[in-house]
Amino acid sequence: TPDYTKRRRDRFMGRLSDVKVKYVHLGPLQKIWHFYHAPIVKFYFFLMSYLMFLAVFAYALLVEHPMKTRTSKSELAVYIWVISTVPLEIRQIYMTCPSRLYSKLKCYFKNSVNRYDVLCLIFIMFSISSR
C-alpha cells in the first residue's frame, strides 16, 4: 500500500505540518460495514424510520376506525415503537456526563432535542391511552 504525504494543521499549535497517511484497501464486506456505520448514514436511517413511524401513527389515529375492539397492526407497530423508544431515552439519560441523577437530568434537558423527544413520547402515550 502506498504512503501519501498530506498537509495537515497541527491540533495543538495550529501550524501546518506534513503527515504521512497510509491508505488501507478494504474488501467489499468491510466497505459495506464502514458505510452503514458512518454517522451520516445512521442519521438518515433514523430519519427515515422516524418518518415511517409518523406516517403509521397518523394512519392509526386518523384513518382507522376508533370504535374497533381489537387493536390493528398499525396500532401494534406504534405501541412497539414507543415501548422501544423509552429505554433508549433512559439509556441516554444514564450515559450523560455527571454522576448524580439530578445533574444527569439537568444536563439531559439542556438539549432542546431531548426535551422535544420526551414531550413527543408523553403526547404519543397520552393519545394511545385516550384512544
Side-chain angles (χ1 to χ4, degrees), residues 57-120:
F57 183 59
Y59 176 79
L61 287 180
L62 300 175
V63 176
E64 290 186 346
H65 195 273
M67 296 299 174
K68 281 185 175 179
T69 56
R70 304 180 87 193
T71 59
S72 65
K73 292 178 183 176
S74 61
E75 286 177 317
L76 192 61
V78 169
Y79 296 158
I80 290 171
W81 178 279
V82 171
I83 289 170
S84 67
T85 304
V86 171
L88 292 175
E89 293 299 320
I90 292 172
R91 179 189 170 275
Q92 193 174 356
I93 292 171
Y94 178 74
M95 297 302 285
T96 54
C97 297
S99 60
R100 296 193 175 212
L101 180 62
Y102 177 74
S103 302
K104 285 180 184 276
L105 290 173
K106 192 175 176 182
C107 183
Y108 176 78
F109 283 111
K110 275 185 184 177
N111 190 346
S112 60
V113 173
N114 292 335
R115 289 188 297 236
Y116 176 71
D117 282 345
V118 170
L119 188 65
C120 284

Side-chain angles (χ1 to χ4, degrees), residues 7-19:
R7 302 271 311 159
R8 185 184 258 175
R9 284 227 178 255
D10 189 357
R11 222 166 81 176
F12 301 107
M13 301 302 250
R15 60 182 170 217
L16 285 174
S17 61
D18 290 333
V19 177

